[in-house]
Structure formats: C-alpha cells, structure tokens
Amino acid sequence: MKRILVTGGAGFIGSNYINHILKERDDYFIVNLDKLTYAGNLENLKESENNPNYCFVKGDITNSELVEYLFKKYEIKYVINFAAESHVDRSILGSEIFYRTNVIGTNVLLETARRHEVQKFLQISTDEVYGSLGDEGLFTELTNLSPNSPYSSSKAGADMMALAFYHTYGMPVSVTRCSNNYGPFQFPEKLIPLMIINALNNKNLPVYGDGMNVRDWIYVIDHNKAVDLVFEKGKSGEVYNIGANNEMPNIDIIKLILQILGKPETLIHYVKDRPGHDRRYAIDASKIENELGWKPSFNFETAIDYTIKWYLENQKWWERIISGDYQKYYSIQYSAK
Ligand code: NAD
Ligand code: TYD
C-alpha cells in the first residue's frame, strides 16, 4: 500500500484526482489534508468519502504540528501537493495568504517530508511561473521563470524550494507545470465556469481587456493522468510541463459557450483589464510525451460540451456556492468595472 498525503484534495483538481485515482488504483491509501477555504468543498468527494482507502482531515498545510502528526499517524511516505490559493484576481486583491499558503505551506510539507524520508514529493505547479509569451513560441521546461502576478510568483517560489530540496538533500521531488484546466467541480470564479453560470443566469459575461489573451486549455482528467504518471515514473529533480496543445483566445471560448447554451452575444461585456494580465500561455509538453509516454485523451470540443452539461446538471452544486461568501468576492472584483 502506498500511503499518500494529498493536500488540497477538496478543490477542483485535487478532488478530480482523488475520485479518479481511487477507481484506478487499489494500492493507494490517501489522506486528504484540506483547509476547506472558500474553494474547498467536500461535496466534490461524495463518490470517494466511504472508500476504505481514503480519509479526510480538515487542516492547514502551514500547521507544522498537524502535518508532523499526520505523517506519524498515517506513516506517510508520499506527498502530492495540490493545496494552494489558486486565483490570480484574488492574489491581486490581497497577496498575503498566497505567500503564506503557497510558499510557507509548501516549506512545511517539504521539511516534514524530509524528516520522514518520503519516497516521492510531487509539487503541482502551473505554466504561469514562466510568465507571458508573445505571439510565437511555447514554454519548455528550460524557459526561465518570470512570474508576473502574486499568485504565479508564490507558485514559482514553491517550485524552486521543492527543487532545492532535491539538490540539497537528495529528496525525491518532481514538479509538474500544467496549463489552464477545465472540467467538473471548478469553482465559478475561473473563466469557464464563471461564463457558463453567468450565461445560464442571463448575467453579463465580464471580458478583461480586448478578450484576445490566450490560454492553453486542458481537461482536468488529462492533467490528473499526467500527475499519476509523473508520480509513478517521473524522475527526481525533474520538471514536467503538461498541456494539451489547445490554445484559444478568451473571447472565442466565451462565444462558444454562448453558442452551446443558445444565449445571445449581447451578454458579453468588455471590462477593465486585469492589472499585469499575461497575454499568452502555451505549453510544449514533448518531454512528458517522449519520456513518460503521456498524451491527452480528450479533445476540447467533446470535453467542453461535457463540462457545460455537467454545470447544467449540477445546478445545486454551484447555486450553493454563489449564494454564500462567493457573492462578496464577486461584488468587490467586478464593482468598479
Ligand atoms: P482550488 O482553488 O480549486 O483548490 C485549492 C484547494 O486547496 C482547496 O480545496 C482549498 O481548500 C485548499 N487549500 C487552500 N489553502 C490551503 C491550506 N493552507 N491548507 C490546506 N488546504 C488548503 O485550486 P485548483 O484549481 O484545484 O488547483 C490545484 C493546484 O493546481 C494548485 O496548486 C494550482 O496552483 C495548480 N494548478 C491549477 C491550474 C488550474 O487551471 N486550475 C492549472 C495548473 C496548476
Ligand atoms: P482565469 O480562469 O482566472 O485563469 P488564469 O488567469 O489563471 O489563466 O482566467 C483565464 C483567462 O480569462 C485570463 O486571460 C483572464 C480571463 N478572464 C476574463 O476575461 N474575465 C473573467 O471574469 C475572468 C475570471 C477571467
């Protein structure tokens, strides 16, 4: 049995990972440590909650006593660190919690993992650490880190710490850097679920700037299959980019969502741009493809259709979210625009 501490497993990608992996592998025992911030939701894990190979602990990765206690109690030998403050716009409104969780929290996990001689520490990171591209080129693992937002700078810090633990202590660390994810259970502050839900509610769709910023979209299950491969077969001290070769300007995605939902383009509202808005992200994933044999299995047309259907069929899930604290954030974020 592999005894794995998965952090942030009640969020979007972590919960999809746990639900997916418990069906794939019966030799994993997963301890999910999650603080249940606004973004953490145990409803995402309904299908896994009674699995005997799974347990949930509510807590903060910055709490070193708790983390130490969990390593001892569950004899943890593996860590997959999904936990993070993850939204760029929130990091612009207030950066402190981003550095606390993403940097200090990762350091607590690394130090505890080192003491307990873990056999693998997988740091889940983002292509945003590379900064912004012009019209040409792709991020490779050799691209210099040049993060531009408080969010991406905190993730870059965590990546470098994790790799430093490999170089200094020989800790078996790998880092994955994935492009923008979409799929079920994504919190409706991120572009795709926000636009789906606003369109369903006949509310304005706030487009930053000219709508021509480009993101490289990947379905969350493809990301998690890559995470699994790097966790099982990735080399220590190495970084693996993950992306599905699917660049799209924001406005094209927004128009596609409106078209699928049969809603009018008059809902589109151009608003003030995000400060420091990165223009383009695009991933070269040839390393993980060539070295580990990964490739994405979902195409965008099918998976975006499925995702939209999921939000249509799971209205209660997102209605409960937007009726609560999220409303406060929404009114601050979009008030002056
Ligand atoms: P999310 O915001 O949906 O979930 C984050 C989870 O972490 C939540 O459940 C939250 O409660 C938990 N958390 C936050 N602070 C914590 C703390 N101090 N202690 C314990 N738990 C805490 O984020 P996501 O989109 O699922 O992203 C997961 C990871 O993947 C993050 O590390 C993010 O940087 C990375 N990533 C995300 C994307 C994307 O498109 N969403 C792309 C590439 C990489
Ligand atoms: P987001 O989902 O926040 O992901 P990230 O900033 O981490 O890439 O945003 C994706 C793109 O959509 C980004 O270019 C910003 C843009 N965007 C809007 O135009 N309007 C919005 O209301 C949001 C949330 C994002």
Side-chain angles (χ1 to χ4, degrees):
M1 211 39 131
K2 283 189 170 156
R3 307 181 70 77
I4 309 166
L5 180 69
V6 172
T7 68
F12 162 49
I13 302 172
S15 63
N16 273 289
Y17 170 78
I18 291 172
N19 291 334
H20 168 74
I21 212 69
L22 287 174
K23 288 196 279 270
E24 297 287 308
R25 300 193 183 272
D26 55 14
D27 61 335
Y28 282 15
F29 182 81
I30 289 180
V31 178
N32 173 13
L33 172 62
D34 196 297
K35 187 180 172 187
L36 298 182
T37 67
Y38 77 93
N41 186 346
L42 289 179
E43 273 189 62
N44 303 2
L45 291 154
K46 265 206 185 110
E47 66 177 86
S48 302
E49 66 189 7
N50 295 322
N51 191 308
N53 289 347
Y54 168 76
C55 82
F56 174 73
V57 178
K58 181 177 186 305
D60 193 322
I61 58 166
T62 65
N63 181 342
S64 47
E65 288 82 21
L66 173 66
V67 173
E68 173 65 25
Y69 168 79
L70 294 176
F71 267 74
K72 275 208 191 98
K73 176 170 179 192
Y74 293 105
E75 296 169 25
I76 297 295
K77 285 288 169 209
Y78 300 85
V79 177
I80 306 180
N81 183 24
F82 290 98
E85 288 292 334
S86 70
H87 191 38
V88 174
D89 291 323
R90 283 184 193 256
S91 80
I92 295 167
L93 292 175
S95 62
E96 202 240 337
I97 188 68
F98 283 74
Y99 295 111
R100 188 182 294 277
T101 287
N102 301 358
V103 178
I104 308 285
T106 301
N107 179 253
V108 166
L109 294 171
L110 285 165
E111 280 294 358
T112 317
R114 181 164 77 89
R115 280 196 300 276
H116 288 264
E117 300 180 342
V118 295
Q119 288 165 32
K120 185 72 163 185
F121 188 110
L122 180 53
Q123 174 65 13
I124 305 298
S125 187
T126 164
D127 61 355
E128 301 194 26
V129 298
Y130 296 121
S132 186
L133 290 165
D135 292 340
E136 303 282 314
L138 303 172
F139 297 133
T140 75
E141 290 81 358
L142 298 175
T143 304
N144 286 336
L145 300 196
S146 186
N148 291 316
S149 70
Y151 163 67
S152 55
S153 64
S154 69
K155 293 295 293 185
D159 282 22
M160 292 170 96
M161 284 182 337
L163 292 168
F165 271 60
Y166 166 75
H167 289 287
T168 307
Y169 306 114
M171 204 168 116
V173 169
S174 304
V175 175
T176 56
R177 295 188 181 136
C178 190
S179 63
N180 286 65
N181 285 220
Y182 64 98
F185 301 119
Q186 187 167 30
F187 194 87
E189 64 188 355
K190 304 277 166 61
L191 180 77
I192 289 182
L194 179 71
M195 297 300 158
I196 296 171
I197 290 171
N198 279 16
L200 287 173
N201 286 331
N202 299 308
K203 273 177 72 174
N204 288 343
L205 309 193
V207 182
Y208 297 159
D210 63 1
M212 290 305 291
N213 295 66
V214 170
R215 296 293 182 265
D216 188 355
W217 294 93
I218 183 171
Y219 189 56
V220 63
I221 297 298
D222 274 332
H223 179 187
N224 281 328
K225 286 182 175 174
V227 165
D228 185 39
L229 207 53
V230 175
F231 179 67
E232 285 291 334
K233 301 208 172 99
K235 285 199 200 126
S236 296
E238 296 283 319
V239 174
Y240 295 89
N241 281 354
I242 304 168
N245 206 5
N246 185 55
E247 286 181 56
M248 286 178 79
N250 296 332
I251 193 67
D252 289 2
I253 297 205
I254 291 165
K255 287 185 175 168
L256 179 67
I257 291 170
L258 288 171
Q259 188 201 320
I260 294 173
L261 290 173
K263 297 285 182 175
E265 288 190 6
T266 49
L267 288 176
I268 294 173
H269 276 242
Y270 288 89
V271 298
K272 201 172 129 227
D273 208 354
R274 170 188 283 172
H277 194 175
D278 286 341
R279 191 62 173 169
R280 175 172 164 260
Y281 301 147
I283 278 274
D284 177 343
S286 52
K287 178 174 172 179
I288 189 171
E289 289 173 356
N290 296 335
E291 291 185 15
L292 302 184
W294 176 84
K295 60 175 175 15
S297 41
F298 293 88
N299 71 44
F300 184 75
E301 289 69 31
T302 317
I304 191 73
D305 230 36
Y306 173 75
T307 301
I308 292 175
K309 217 172 266 154
W310 187 89
Y311 280 88
L312 277 167
E313 287 166 2
N314 289 275
Q315 198 152 338
K316 289 233 163 65
W317 179 87
W318 54 260
E319 272 176 359
R320 272 196 281 276
I321 290 169
I322 58 178
S323 63
D325 262 4
Y326 172 60
Q327 278 305 355
K328 281 185 226 148
Y329 161 77
Y330 198 88
S331 61
I332 296 169
Q333 173 61 16
Y334 297 101
S335 61
K337 293 172 178 174

